[in-house]
Amino acid sequence: MVYFSEEVGIDRIKPGLTMKIELDSIKEFTGGELRSTVTDVDLDTVKAEISSKVSIPVEETVKLSVMDKGVVYTFYAVPVENVENNGIQKITFRLKSSIRQMQKRRFLRTEFVAIGTFKTAEKDDVFNFMTKDISAGGLRFLTNGYADLGQIIIINMLLDENVRLKDQKAQIVRKVDMKLSDLNEYGATFLDLNPSLEDKIKRFVSENELKARGSKE
């Protein structure tokens, strides 16, 4: 199992989600952290409620972690407003950093650009796509084609001379709204992947990651 991290927008933070607040200087509770619930989200602010028994200093940086099923969103913020009402503090946090999505994944994923084609299982129309990243579990790609969430597609592409996806079934599990582009971005998970091909993709991903890290050093 590996951890995957990527920068995401504040739209991922939803009212009702559980939030952990971490601040070393808080003396009123053990461990320097407490749990709260997101009550509202704006352009660069997140609001939450906590008991008035705990005091969080205004303008002191805190680490916030918001939990949503198997995903954790982490970021730094400062309390800019604290209003007490009936024993409850309503706190407004202003973001000081980007929001990072932390998620456990079964397979290592690597950034990788290659051209391939796909078609839906129901139609014969073939669309070109360009990958953004890939793992033994699936891939993320850009295309001017269209597919629905949950739809089965058939993929053909060459990763290198030893790794080829030929009529590989996959399912669309994610679609990203690309408002400023004519392209669509999708995430797809492989279906019925041959174990031998899975091992080849794992090796390819590991080797590609080592090359990428070497080029950055």
Side-chain angles (χ1 to χ4, degrees), residues 72-88:
V72 178
Y73 303 103
T74 63
F75 53 99
Y76 289 90
V78 293
V80 294
E81 186 179 54
N82 191 332
V83 179
E84 184 176 342
N85 184 20
N86 294 326
I88 298 296

Side-chain angles (χ1 to χ4, degrees), residues 3-215:
Y3 286 89
F4 175 73
S5 171
E6 67 174 330
E7 186 174 324
V8 297
I10 197 172
D11 59 297
R12 300 291 182 89
I13 310 301
K14 306 290 187 183
L17 294 179
T18 299
M19 183 168 74
K20 182 172 69 174
I21 305 169
E22 298 179 64
L23 179 62
D24 293 338
S25 64
I26 299 178
K27 306 300 183 184
E28 291 86 347
F29 55 96
T30 304
E33 65 179 47
L34 61 88
R35 290 188 179 265
S36 178
T37 301
V38 177
T39 59
D40 194 19
V41 181
D42 205 347
L43 295 175
D44 64 346
T45 60
V46 174
K47 295 182 180 181
E49 295 181 349
I50 63 170
S51 168
S52 60
K53 295 180 180 180
V54 178
S55 177
I56 298 181
V58 173
E59 297 297 339
E60 185 162 350
T61 301
V62 298
K63 180 181 178 181
L64 303 179
S65 300
V66 178
M67 282 66 76
D68 185 8
K69 298 178 182 178
V71 180
V72 178
Y73 303 103
T74 63
F75 53 99
Y76 289 90
V78 293
V80 294
E81 186 179 54
N82 191 332
V83 179
E84 184 176 342
N85 184 20
N86 294 326
I88 298 296
Q89 293 181 77
K90 298 182 178 181
I91 305 176
T92 300
F93 296 96
R94 177 167 288 119
L95 272 63
K96 283 191 65 178
S97 73
S98 59
I99 299 173
R100 304 292 302 182
Q101 172 182 314
M102 304 296 296
Q103 185 174 7
K104 288 183 180 180
R105 282 190 172 165
R106 182 181 175 191
F107 300 110
L108 176 66
R109 182 178 296 266
T110 186
E111 294 184 0
F112 177 66
V113 177
I115 302 299
T117 64
F118 81 92
K119 65 179 182 178
T120 63
E122 299 84 4
K123 298 181 180 179
D124 292 328
D125 295 335
V126 177
F127 302 101
N128 293 321
F129 69 79
M130 181 178 70
T131 59
K132 296 187 70 175
D133 57 47
I134 191 169
S135 76
L139 74 166
R140 187 163 52 122
F141 61 91
L142 298 170
T143 179
N144 59 3
Y146 183 83
D148 294 317
L149 284 175
Q151 193 164 28
I152 305 300
I153 61 174
I154 309 299
I155 293 175
N156 283 279
M157 68 172 295
L158 182 69
L159 278 69
D160 66 15
E161 64 273 13
N162 298 313
V163 187
R164 177 188 293 273
L165 300 179
K166 181 175 175 59
D167 295 333
Q168 175 61 50
K169 286 200 301 183
Q171 185 174 30
I172 300 296
V173 294
R174 183 183 178 195
K175 180 182 179 183
V176 179
D177 189 5
M178 304 277 285
K179 294 181 179 179
L180 301 179
S181 174
D182 293 332
L183 297 175
N184 298 309
E185 180 178 325
Y186 294 102
T189 185
F190 297 135
L191 300 176
D192 304 324
L193 190 65
N194 183 286
S196 175
L197 179 56
E198 179 179 302
D199 288 340
K200 288 182 179 180
I201 297 176
K202 287 179 181 177
R203 287 195 294 271
F204 172 83
V205 169
S206 296
E207 291 171 0
N208 194 66
E209 274 295 281
L210 288 174
K211 291 178 183 176
R213 291 174 188 173
S215 65

